[in-house]
Short mmCIF file of all heavy atoms in Angstrom, two decimals:
data_model
loop_
_atom_site.label_atom_id
_atom_site.label_comp_id
_atom_site.label_asym_id
_atom_site.label_seq_id
_atom_site.Cartn_x
_atom_site.Cartn_y
_atom_site.Cartn_z
N MET A 423 -11.01 10.50 -13.32
CA MET A 423 -9.72 10.47 -12.63
C MET A 423 -9.40 9.05 -12.14
O MET A 423 -8.26 8.65 -12.11
CB MET A 423 -9.74 11.42 -11.48
CG MET A 423 -8.39 11.62 -10.86
SD MET A 423 -7.26 12.41 -11.99
CE MET A 423 -5.87 12.56 -11.00
N ALA A 424 -10.44 8.30 -11.75
CA ALA A 424 -10.22 6.97 -11.28
C ALA A 424 -9.63 6.03 -12.35
O ALA A 424 -8.86 5.12 -12.07
CB ALA A 424 -11.53 6.36 -10.72
N PHE A 425 -10.02 6.29 -13.61
CA PHE A 425 -9.49 5.50 -14.70
C PHE A 425 -8.00 5.68 -14.85
O PHE A 425 -7.28 4.68 -15.01
CB PHE A 425 -10.21 5.91 -16.02
CG PHE A 425 -9.63 5.16 -17.21
CD1 PHE A 425 -10.00 3.86 -17.46
CD2 PHE A 425 -8.78 5.80 -18.09
CE1 PHE A 425 -9.52 3.18 -18.56
CE2 PHE A 425 -8.24 5.10 -19.17
CZ PHE A 425 -8.62 3.80 -19.42
N PHE A 426 -7.51 6.88 -14.77
CA PHE A 426 -6.08 7.12 -14.92
C PHE A 426 -5.29 6.54 -13.74
O PHE A 426 -4.13 6.09 -13.91
CB PHE A 426 -5.76 8.63 -15.13
CG PHE A 426 -6.36 9.15 -16.38
CD1 PHE A 426 -7.42 10.03 -16.33
CD2 PHE A 426 -5.89 8.72 -17.56
CE1 PHE A 426 -7.97 10.52 -17.52
CE2 PHE A 426 -6.44 9.19 -18.78
CZ PHE A 426 -7.49 10.07 -18.72
N LYS A 427 -5.86 6.59 -12.58
CA LYS A 427 -5.19 6.00 -11.42
C LYS A 427 -5.16 4.47 -11.49
O LYS A 427 -4.31 3.85 -10.83
CB LYS A 427 -5.88 6.40 -10.11
CG LYS A 427 -5.69 7.88 -9.71
CD LYS A 427 -6.09 8.07 -8.31
CE LYS A 427 -7.52 8.39 -8.17
NZ LYS A 427 -7.93 8.79 -6.82
N SER A 428 -6.03 3.86 -12.27
CA SER A 428 -6.10 2.39 -12.27
C SER A 428 -5.25 1.79 -13.34
O SER A 428 -5.07 0.55 -13.34
CB SER A 428 -7.56 1.99 -12.50
OG SER A 428 -7.98 2.39 -13.79
N ILE A 429 -4.61 2.53 -14.19
CA ILE A 429 -3.79 1.99 -15.30
C ILE A 429 -2.58 1.26 -14.75
O ILE A 429 -2.27 0.11 -15.10
CB ILE A 429 -3.37 3.07 -16.32
CG1 ILE A 429 -4.67 3.57 -17.05
CG2 ILE A 429 -2.37 2.53 -17.28
CD1 ILE A 429 -4.42 4.63 -17.97
N ILE A 430 -1.81 1.90 -13.84
CA ILE A 430 -0.58 1.32 -13.31
C ILE A 430 -0.88 0.04 -12.45
O ILE A 430 -0.23 -1.01 -12.71
CB ILE A 430 0.22 2.33 -12.47
CG1 ILE A 430 0.65 3.50 -13.37
CG2 ILE A 430 1.44 1.68 -11.84
CD1 ILE A 430 1.55 3.13 -14.51
N PRO A 431 -1.85 0.06 -11.53
CA PRO A 431 -2.16 -1.18 -10.81
C PRO A 431 -2.69 -2.30 -11.74
O PRO A 431 -2.40 -3.46 -11.50
CB PRO A 431 -3.21 -0.79 -9.78
CG PRO A 431 -3.02 0.69 -9.62
CD PRO A 431 -2.58 1.19 -10.92
N GLY A 432 -3.39 -1.92 -12.76
CA GLY A 432 -3.88 -2.91 -13.73
C GLY A 432 -2.74 -3.55 -14.49
O GLY A 432 -2.72 -4.76 -14.75
N MET A 433 -1.73 -2.79 -14.85
CA MET A 433 -0.54 -3.27 -15.52
C MET A 433 0.25 -4.21 -14.59
O MET A 433 0.69 -5.28 -15.01
CB MET A 433 0.37 -2.14 -16.02
CG MET A 433 -0.20 -1.41 -17.20
SD MET A 433 0.83 0.01 -17.62
CE MET A 433 2.29 -0.79 -18.12
N ILE A 434 0.39 -3.84 -13.35
CA ILE A 434 1.14 -4.65 -12.41
C ILE A 434 0.44 -6.01 -12.16
O ILE A 434 1.05 -7.04 -12.14
CB ILE A 434 1.36 -3.87 -11.10
CG1 ILE A 434 2.28 -2.71 -11.30
CG2 ILE A 434 1.86 -4.78 -9.97
CD1 ILE A 434 2.36 -1.78 -10.12
N LEU A 435 -0.90 -5.92 -11.99
CA LEU A 435 -1.67 -7.17 -11.80
C LEU A 435 -1.55 -8.07 -13.01
O LEU A 435 -1.39 -9.27 -12.85
CB LEU A 435 -3.15 -6.83 -11.54
CG LEU A 435 -4.07 -7.96 -11.30
CD1 LEU A 435 -3.65 -8.81 -10.09
CD2 LEU A 435 -5.51 -7.46 -11.12
N THR A 436 -1.60 -7.52 -14.20
CA THR A 436 -1.47 -8.27 -15.44
C THR A 436 -0.07 -8.90 -15.55
O THR A 436 0.07 -10.09 -15.92
CB THR A 436 -1.70 -7.39 -16.68
OG1 THR A 436 -3.04 -6.83 -16.61
CG2 THR A 436 -1.59 -8.19 -17.96
N LEU A 437 0.95 -8.11 -15.28
CA LEU A 437 2.34 -8.67 -15.37
C LEU A 437 2.56 -9.80 -14.37
O LEU A 437 3.20 -10.80 -14.68
CB LEU A 437 3.37 -7.57 -15.14
CG LEU A 437 3.53 -6.60 -16.34
CD1 LEU A 437 4.39 -5.39 -15.92
CD2 LEU A 437 4.11 -7.30 -17.50
N LEU A 438 2.01 -9.67 -13.15
CA LEU A 438 2.16 -10.73 -12.14
C LEU A 438 1.41 -11.96 -12.54
O LEU A 438 1.98 -13.08 -12.52
CB LEU A 438 1.68 -10.25 -10.82
CG LEU A 438 2.56 -9.22 -10.07
CD1 LEU A 438 1.82 -8.75 -8.81
CD2 LEU A 438 3.83 -9.87 -9.71
N LEU A 439 0.19 -11.84 -12.94
CA LEU A 439 -0.65 -12.96 -13.34
C LEU A 439 -0.11 -13.67 -14.58
O LEU A 439 0.03 -14.87 -14.62
CB LEU A 439 -2.06 -12.56 -13.53
CG LEU A 439 -3.08 -13.65 -13.86
CD1 LEU A 439 -3.14 -14.68 -12.65
CD2 LEU A 439 -4.41 -13.13 -14.11
N ALA A 440 0.21 -12.84 -15.61
CA ALA A 440 0.78 -13.46 -16.88
C ALA A 440 2.14 -14.03 -16.65
O ALA A 440 2.51 -15.07 -17.25
CB ALA A 440 0.79 -12.41 -17.93
N GLY A 441 2.96 -13.46 -15.79
CA GLY A 441 4.28 -14.00 -15.49
C GLY A 441 4.20 -15.34 -14.75
O GLY A 441 4.99 -16.23 -15.07
N ILE A 442 3.27 -15.48 -13.83
CA ILE A 442 3.15 -16.73 -13.13
C ILE A 442 2.62 -17.82 -14.08
O ILE A 442 3.16 -18.93 -14.07
CB ILE A 442 2.24 -16.55 -11.92
CG1 ILE A 442 2.93 -15.68 -10.85
CG2 ILE A 442 1.83 -17.89 -11.33
CD1 ILE A 442 2.00 -15.25 -9.74
N VAL A 443 1.57 -17.53 -14.79
CA VAL A 443 0.97 -18.56 -15.67
C VAL A 443 1.89 -18.85 -16.85
O VAL A 443 2.13 -19.96 -17.23
CB VAL A 443 -0.37 -18.13 -16.12
CG1 VAL A 443 -0.98 -19.10 -17.14
CG2 VAL A 443 -1.36 -18.00 -14.93
N GLY A 444 2.49 -17.83 -17.46
CA GLY A 444 3.31 -17.95 -18.63
C GLY A 444 4.61 -18.65 -18.36
O GLY A 444 5.15 -19.45 -19.18
N SER A 445 5.16 -18.43 -17.15
CA SER A 445 6.45 -19.13 -16.84
C SER A 445 6.29 -20.64 -16.68
O SER A 445 7.32 -21.34 -16.73
CB SER A 445 7.03 -18.51 -15.57
OG SER A 445 6.22 -18.81 -14.45
N GLN A 446 5.07 -21.08 -16.47
CA GLN A 446 4.80 -22.50 -16.36
C GLN A 446 4.59 -23.18 -17.70
O GLN A 446 4.33 -24.36 -17.78
CB GLN A 446 3.64 -22.76 -15.48
CG GLN A 446 3.78 -22.22 -14.06
CD GLN A 446 4.98 -22.83 -13.35
OE1 GLN A 446 5.18 -24.01 -13.42
NE2 GLN A 446 5.77 -21.98 -12.72
N GLY A 447 4.70 -22.43 -18.78
CA GLY A 447 4.58 -22.96 -20.15
C GLY A 447 3.21 -22.98 -20.68
O GLY A 447 2.95 -23.54 -21.74
N SER A 448 2.30 -22.34 -20.01
CA SER A 448 0.86 -22.33 -20.44
C SER A 448 0.55 -21.01 -21.12
O SER A 448 1.15 -19.97 -20.82
CB SER A 448 -0.07 -22.52 -19.23
OG SER A 448 -1.41 -22.39 -19.66
N ASP A 449 -0.40 -21.06 -22.08
CA ASP A 449 -0.82 -19.82 -22.70
C ASP A 449 -2.07 -19.25 -22.03
O ASP A 449 -2.54 -18.19 -22.37
CB ASP A 449 -1.10 -19.97 -24.20
CG ASP A 449 -2.22 -20.95 -24.50
OD1 ASP A 449 -2.73 -21.58 -23.56
OD2 ASP A 449 -2.60 -21.02 -25.70
N GLY A 450 -2.60 -19.93 -21.04
CA GLY A 450 -3.68 -19.44 -20.23
C GLY A 450 -5.03 -19.58 -20.85
O GLY A 450 -6.01 -19.04 -20.34
N GLY A 451 -5.14 -20.27 -21.98
CA GLY A 451 -6.41 -20.38 -22.63
C GLY A 451 -6.98 -19.09 -23.10
O GLY A 451 -6.43 -18.51 -24.06
N VAL A 452 -8.08 -18.63 -22.54
CA VAL A 452 -8.76 -17.42 -23.00
C VAL A 452 -7.87 -16.20 -22.70
O VAL A 452 -7.96 -15.17 -23.39
CB VAL A 452 -10.09 -17.26 -22.25
CG1 VAL A 452 -10.76 -15.94 -22.58
CG2 VAL A 452 -10.99 -18.41 -22.61
N MET A 453 -6.97 -16.29 -21.72
CA MET A 453 -6.09 -15.15 -21.40
C MET A 453 -5.09 -14.88 -22.57
O MET A 453 -4.60 -13.73 -22.66
CB MET A 453 -5.29 -15.39 -20.08
CG MET A 453 -6.21 -15.44 -18.90
SD MET A 453 -5.35 -15.38 -17.30
CE MET A 453 -4.26 -16.75 -17.38
N ALA A 454 -4.78 -15.87 -23.35
CA ALA A 454 -3.85 -15.72 -24.52
C ALA A 454 -2.57 -15.00 -24.15
O ALA A 454 -2.21 -13.94 -24.70
CB ALA A 454 -4.60 -14.95 -25.64
N ILE A 455 -1.87 -15.57 -23.19
CA ILE A 455 -0.60 -15.03 -22.75
C ILE A 455 0.47 -15.23 -23.79
O ILE A 455 0.62 -16.32 -24.35
CB ILE A 455 -0.19 -15.67 -21.41
CG1 ILE A 455 -1.23 -15.29 -20.31
CG2 ILE A 455 1.18 -15.20 -20.95
CD1 ILE A 455 -1.03 -15.97 -19.04
N GLN A 456 1.20 -14.17 -24.10
CA GLN A 456 2.27 -14.18 -25.13
C GLN A 456 3.59 -13.79 -24.49
O GLN A 456 3.61 -12.92 -23.61
CB GLN A 456 1.92 -13.29 -26.24
CG GLN A 456 0.60 -13.58 -26.96
CD GLN A 456 0.21 -12.53 -27.90
OE1 GLN A 456 0.85 -11.47 -28.00
NE2 GLN A 456 -0.89 -12.78 -28.60
N HIS A 457 4.65 -14.33 -24.99
CA HIS A 457 6.02 -14.01 -24.48
C HIS A 457 6.51 -12.88 -25.43
O HIS A 457 6.65 -13.10 -26.63
CB HIS A 457 6.93 -15.20 -24.48
CG HIS A 457 8.18 -14.96 -23.74
ND1 HIS A 457 9.37 -15.51 -24.12
CD2 HIS A 457 8.47 -14.28 -22.58
CE1 HIS A 457 10.33 -15.18 -23.27
NE2 HIS A 457 9.78 -14.40 -22.34
N LYS A 458 6.79 -11.76 -24.88
CA LYS A 458 7.26 -10.53 -25.64
C LYS A 458 8.63 -10.18 -25.26
O LYS A 458 9.13 -10.53 -24.19
CB LYS A 458 6.35 -9.34 -25.36
CG LYS A 458 4.89 -9.55 -25.58
CD LYS A 458 4.60 -9.53 -27.07
CE LYS A 458 3.09 -9.60 -27.28
NZ LYS A 458 2.77 -9.51 -28.67
N TYR A 459 9.29 -9.48 -26.14
CA TYR A 459 10.67 -9.03 -25.90
C TYR A 459 10.79 -7.50 -26.15
O TYR A 459 10.22 -7.01 -27.13
CB TYR A 459 11.68 -9.70 -26.82
CG TYR A 459 11.88 -11.19 -26.54
CD1 TYR A 459 11.14 -12.14 -27.25
CD2 TYR A 459 12.74 -11.58 -25.51
CE1 TYR A 459 11.35 -13.47 -26.93
CE2 TYR A 459 12.89 -12.92 -25.23
CZ TYR A 459 12.22 -13.89 -25.94
OH TYR A 459 12.38 -15.14 -25.68
N ILE A 460 11.43 -6.84 -25.26
CA ILE A 460 11.78 -5.41 -25.49
C ILE A 460 13.27 -5.29 -25.16
O ILE A 460 13.68 -5.51 -24.01
CB ILE A 460 10.98 -4.46 -24.53
CG1 ILE A 460 9.51 -4.48 -24.96
CG2 ILE A 460 11.53 -3.07 -24.60
CD1 ILE A 460 8.65 -3.60 -24.11
N TYR A 461 14.08 -5.01 -26.18
CA TYR A 461 15.54 -4.88 -26.04
C TYR A 461 16.12 -6.04 -25.30
O TYR A 461 16.82 -5.91 -24.29
CB TYR A 461 15.87 -3.57 -25.30
CG TYR A 461 15.45 -2.33 -26.10
CD1 TYR A 461 14.44 -1.54 -25.63
CD2 TYR A 461 16.08 -2.01 -27.29
CE1 TYR A 461 14.05 -0.42 -26.33
CE2 TYR A 461 15.68 -0.92 -28.02
CZ TYR A 461 14.69 -0.11 -27.51
OH TYR A 461 14.30 0.99 -28.23
N GLN A 462 15.88 -7.23 -25.74
CA GLN A 462 16.40 -8.47 -25.27
C GLN A 462 15.93 -8.85 -23.82
O GLN A 462 16.52 -9.70 -23.20
CB GLN A 462 17.93 -8.51 -25.29
CG GLN A 462 18.47 -8.32 -26.72
CD GLN A 462 19.97 -8.20 -26.73
OE1 GLN A 462 20.63 -8.08 -25.67
NE2 GLN A 462 20.52 -8.22 -27.91
N HIS A 463 14.93 -8.14 -23.35
CA HIS A 463 14.34 -8.54 -22.02
C HIS A 463 12.99 -9.12 -22.29
O HIS A 463 12.10 -8.47 -22.88
CB HIS A 463 14.23 -7.28 -21.14
CG HIS A 463 15.52 -6.69 -20.75
ND1 HIS A 463 16.32 -7.27 -19.83
CD2 HIS A 463 16.18 -5.59 -21.18
CE1 HIS A 463 17.44 -6.61 -19.70
NE2 HIS A 463 17.37 -5.55 -20.50
N GLY A 464 12.76 -10.33 -21.81
CA GLY A 464 11.50 -11.04 -22.04
C GLY A 464 10.49 -10.82 -20.94
O GLY A 464 10.88 -10.68 -19.77
N TYR A 465 9.20 -10.79 -21.27
CA TYR A 465 8.16 -10.75 -20.28
C TYR A 465 6.92 -11.37 -20.93
O TYR A 465 6.81 -11.56 -22.06
CB TYR A 465 7.86 -9.31 -19.83
CG TYR A 465 7.33 -8.41 -20.89
CD1 TYR A 465 5.98 -8.17 -21.03
CD2 TYR A 465 8.21 -7.80 -21.85
CE1 TYR A 465 5.44 -7.38 -22.02
CE2 TYR A 465 7.67 -7.02 -22.82
CZ TYR A 465 6.30 -6.79 -22.94
OH TYR A 465 5.77 -6.01 -23.94
N TYR A 466 5.96 -11.71 -20.02
CA TYR A 466 4.71 -12.23 -20.50
C TYR A 466 3.63 -11.20 -20.41
O TYR A 466 3.59 -10.43 -19.45
CB TYR A 466 4.33 -13.46 -19.60
CG TYR A 466 5.23 -14.64 -19.82
CD1 TYR A 466 6.28 -14.82 -18.94
CD2 TYR A 466 5.07 -15.50 -20.87
CE1 TYR A 466 7.17 -15.92 -19.12
CE2 TYR A 466 5.91 -16.57 -21.09
CZ TYR A 466 6.97 -16.77 -20.18
OH TYR A 466 7.79 -17.82 -20.36
N TRP A 467 2.75 -11.16 -21.40
CA TRP A 467 1.70 -10.14 -21.47
C TRP A 467 0.40 -10.71 -22.07
O TRP A 467 0.46 -11.63 -22.89
CB TRP A 467 2.14 -8.97 -22.32
CG TRP A 467 1.16 -7.83 -22.31
CD1 TRP A 467 0.35 -7.53 -23.35
CD2 TRP A 467 0.87 -6.90 -21.25
NE1 TRP A 467 -0.42 -6.39 -22.95
CE2 TRP A 467 -0.13 -6.05 -21.66
CE3 TRP A 467 1.38 -6.77 -19.95
CZ2 TRP A 467 -0.61 -5.07 -20.88
CZ3 TRP A 467 0.91 -5.74 -19.18
CH2 TRP A 467 -0.10 -4.89 -19.63
N SER A 468 -0.71 -10.18 -21.64
CA SER A 468 -2.01 -10.59 -22.15
C SER A 468 -2.93 -9.38 -22.18
O SER A 468 -3.22 -8.74 -21.13
CB SER A 468 -2.61 -11.64 -21.27
OG SER A 468 -3.96 -11.89 -21.62
N TRP A 469 -3.42 -9.01 -23.37
CA TRP A 469 -4.30 -7.87 -23.47
C TRP A 469 -5.67 -8.16 -22.83
O TRP A 469 -6.25 -7.24 -22.22
CB TRP A 469 -4.47 -7.43 -24.94
CG TRP A 469 -3.28 -6.71 -25.40
CD1 TRP A 469 -2.31 -7.08 -26.28
CD2 TRP A 469 -2.93 -5.37 -25.01
NE1 TRP A 469 -1.37 -6.10 -26.45
CE2 TRP A 469 -1.72 -5.02 -25.71
CE3 TRP A 469 -3.46 -4.38 -24.17
CZ2 TRP A 469 -1.08 -3.78 -25.56
CZ3 TRP A 469 -2.84 -3.16 -24.02
CH2 TRP A 469 -1.65 -2.87 -24.67
N SER A 470 -6.16 -9.34 -22.99
CA SER A 470 -7.46 -9.64 -22.40
C SER A 470 -7.43 -9.59 -20.84
O SER A 470 -8.33 -9.10 -20.23
CB SER A 470 -8.00 -10.99 -22.86
OG SER A 470 -7.07 -12.00 -22.56
N THR A 471 -6.28 -10.09 -20.30
CA THR A 471 -6.14 -9.96 -18.86
C THR A 471 -5.94 -8.54 -18.43
O THR A 471 -6.50 -8.14 -17.37
CB THR A 471 -4.92 -10.83 -18.42
OG1 THR A 471 -5.05 -12.16 -18.91
CG2 THR A 471 -4.81 -10.86 -16.90
N PHE A 472 -5.27 -7.74 -19.19
CA PHE A 472 -5.08 -6.31 -18.87
C PHE A 472 -6.41 -5.60 -18.86
O PHE A 472 -6.67 -4.81 -17.96
CB PHE A 472 -4.12 -5.68 -19.85
CG PHE A 472 -4.00 -4.19 -19.67
CD1 PHE A 472 -3.46 -3.65 -18.52
CD2 PHE A 472 -4.53 -3.28 -20.59
CE1 PHE A 472 -3.33 -2.25 -18.33
CE2 PHE A 472 -4.45 -1.95 -20.42
CZ PHE A 472 -3.85 -1.41 -19.28
N LEU A 473 -7.24 -5.84 -19.80
CA LEU A 473 -8.52 -5.17 -19.87
C LEU A 473 -9.42 -5.55 -18.71
O LEU A 473 -10.13 -4.71 -18.10
CB LEU A 473 -9.23 -5.43 -21.20
CG LEU A 473 -8.55 -4.82 -22.44
CD1 LEU A 473 -9.29 -5.23 -23.71
CD2 LEU A 473 -8.46 -3.30 -22.33
N CYS A 474 -9.39 -6.85 -18.34
CA CYS A 474 -10.18 -7.26 -17.19
C CYS A 474 -9.64 -6.72 -15.87
O CYS A 474 -10.40 -6.26 -15.03
CB CYS A 474 -10.24 -8.85 -17.11
SG CYS A 474 -11.15 -9.58 -18.43
N ALA A 475 -8.31 -6.70 -15.71
CA ALA A 475 -7.73 -6.14 -14.50
C ALA A 475 -7.93 -4.64 -14.43
O ALA A 475 -8.24 -4.11 -13.36
CB ALA A 475 -6.21 -6.44 -14.50
N LEU A 476 -7.90 -3.97 -15.60
CA LEU A 476 -8.14 -2.52 -15.59
C LEU A 476 -9.56 -2.24 -15.18
O LEU A 476 -9.81 -1.29 -14.37
CB LEU A 476 -7.88 -1.96 -16.99
CG LEU A 476 -8.05 -0.47 -17.20
CD1 LEU A 476 -7.03 0.31 -16.41
CD2 LEU A 476 -7.91 -0.17 -18.67
N GLY A 477 -10.51 -3.01 -15.69
CA GLY A 477 -11.91 -2.78 -15.32
C GLY A 477 -12.12 -3.04 -13.85
O GLY A 477 -12.88 -2.31 -13.18
N LEU A 478 -11.48 -4.07 -13.29
CA LEU A 478 -11.66 -4.41 -11.91
C LEU A 478 -11.07 -3.26 -11.00
O LEU A 478 -11.73 -2.79 -10.07
CB LEU A 478 -10.95 -5.74 -11.57
CG LEU A 478 -10.89 -6.16 -10.12
CD1 LEU A 478 -12.28 -6.47 -9.61
CD2 LEU A 478 -9.99 -7.32 -9.94
N VAL A 479 -9.85 -2.82 -11.29
CA VAL A 479 -9.21 -1.82 -10.50
C VAL A 479 -9.94 -0.47 -10.64
O VAL A 479 -10.10 0.28 -9.68
CB VAL A 479 -7.69 -1.68 -10.88
CG1 VAL A 479 -7.07 -0.56 -10.12
CG2 VAL A 479 -7.00 -2.99 -10.59
N TRP A 480 -10.43 -0.21 -11.85
CA TRP A 480 -11.19 1.03 -12.09
C TRP A 480 -12.44 1.04 -11.23
O TRP A 480 -12.79 2.08 -10.65
CB TRP A 480 -11.48 1.15 -13.61
CG TRP A 480 -12.20 2.42 -14.02
CD1 TRP A 480 -12.35 3.58 -13.29
CD2 TRP A 480 -12.84 2.64 -15.26
NE1 TRP A 480 -13.02 4.47 -14.03
CE2 TRP A 480 -13.34 3.95 -15.29
CE3 TRP A 480 -12.98 1.86 -16.39
CZ2 TRP A 480 -14.05 4.48 -16.32
CZ3 TRP A 480 -13.65 2.43 -17.46
CH2 TRP A 480 -14.19 3.69 -17.42
N ALA A 481 -13.15 -0.08 -11.23
CA ALA A 481 -14.36 -0.12 -10.40
C ALA A 481 -14.04 0.04 -8.93
O ALA A 481 -14.81 0.73 -8.23
CB ALA A 481 -15.06 -1.45 -10.67
N LEU A 482 -12.97 -0.56 -8.48
CA LEU A 482 -12.62 -0.40 -7.02
C LEU A 482 -12.26 1.05 -6.71
O LEU A 482 -12.69 1.63 -5.68
CB LEU A 482 -11.48 -1.32 -6.70
CG LEU A 482 -11.73 -2.78 -6.63
CD1 LEU A 482 -10.47 -3.58 -6.48
CD2 LEU A 482 -12.71 -3.11 -5.51
N PHE A 483 -11.46 1.72 -7.58
CA PHE A 483 -11.14 3.09 -7.34
C PHE A 483 -12.36 4.03 -7.48
O PHE A 483 -12.46 5.01 -6.72
CB PHE A 483 -10.03 3.58 -8.29
CG PHE A 483 -8.66 3.11 -7.92
CD1 PHE A 483 -7.64 3.16 -8.83
CD2 PHE A 483 -8.35 2.65 -6.68
CE1 PHE A 483 -6.34 2.76 -8.49
CE2 PHE A 483 -7.09 2.26 -6.30
CZ PHE A 483 -6.08 2.31 -7.21
N ALA A 484 -13.25 3.73 -8.39
CA ALA A 484 -14.47 4.55 -8.53
C ALA A 484 -15.37 4.42 -7.31
O ALA A 484 -15.97 5.40 -6.90
CB ALA A 484 -15.25 4.11 -9.80
N MET A 485 -15.42 3.24 -6.71
CA MET A 485 -16.25 3.07 -5.49
C MET A 485 -15.66 3.76 -4.27
O MET A 485 -16.35 4.19 -3.37
CB MET A 485 -16.39 1.59 -5.17
CG MET A 485 -17.38 0.89 -6.09
SD MET A 485 -17.65 -0.78 -5.51
CE MET A 485 -16.67 -1.71 -6.67
N MET A 486 -14.30 3.93 -4.26
CA MET A 486 -13.61 4.52 -3.14
C MET A 486 -13.58 6.05 -3.22
O MET A 486 -13.36 6.72 -2.19
CB MET A 486 -12.18 3.99 -3.01
CG MET A 486 -12.13 2.55 -2.56
SD MET A 486 -10.51 1.84 -2.28
CE MET A 486 -9.36 2.84 -3.13
N SER A 487 -13.76 6.60 -4.42
CA SER A 487 -13.65 8.08 -4.55
C SER A 487 -14.89 8.76 -4.05
O SER A 487 -15.97 8.20 -3.95
CB SER A 487 -13.42 8.43 -6.03
OG SER A 487 -14.56 8.13 -6.76
N ASP A 488 -14.79 10.03 -3.73
CA ASP A 488 -15.88 10.82 -3.19
C ASP A 488 -16.72 11.32 -4.27
O ASP A 488 -16.43 11.87 -5.26
CB ASP A 488 -15.39 11.98 -2.32
CG ASP A 488 -14.69 11.43 -1.03
OD1 ASP A 488 -15.06 10.30 -0.66
OD2 ASP A 488 -13.83 12.10 -0.53
#
């Protein structure tokens, strides 16, 4: 259950981090930030950052659950 609860916060953390780094014109090196478009709306995304953020949030939620 902790895994499913951690997906949304992991996405939010990734969007914030990739948005800050990507808006400065950097690809973030290992983070491999890419500028994506959905219906003419642009955003920055990184799968490697998402997987790391998901693992971090998952571990925090797993430690907090009973």
Side-chain angles (χ1 to χ4, degrees):
M423 188 67 178
F425 176 77
F426 295 112
K427 288 195 274 186
S428 66
I429 292 174
I430 299 297
M433 288 175 63
I434 292 170
L435 180 60
T436 301
L437 287 171
L438 287 173
L439 184 63
I442 291 169
V443 174
S445 67
Q446 301 301 315
S448 176
D449 64 353
V452 176
M453 293 192 304
I455 296 172
Q456 301 170 355
H457 194 214
K458 304 284 186 178
Y459 291 98
I460 293 181
Y461 297 113
Q462 300 175 350
H463 295 284
Y465 66 98
Y466 292 97
W467 184 254
S468 169
W469 282 108
S470 58
T471 306
F472 173 68
L473 293 176
C474 291
L476 181 67
L478 175 67
V479 176
W480 184 14
L482 289 172
F483 281 164
M485 284 187 257
M486 292 184 339
S487 67
D488 292 334

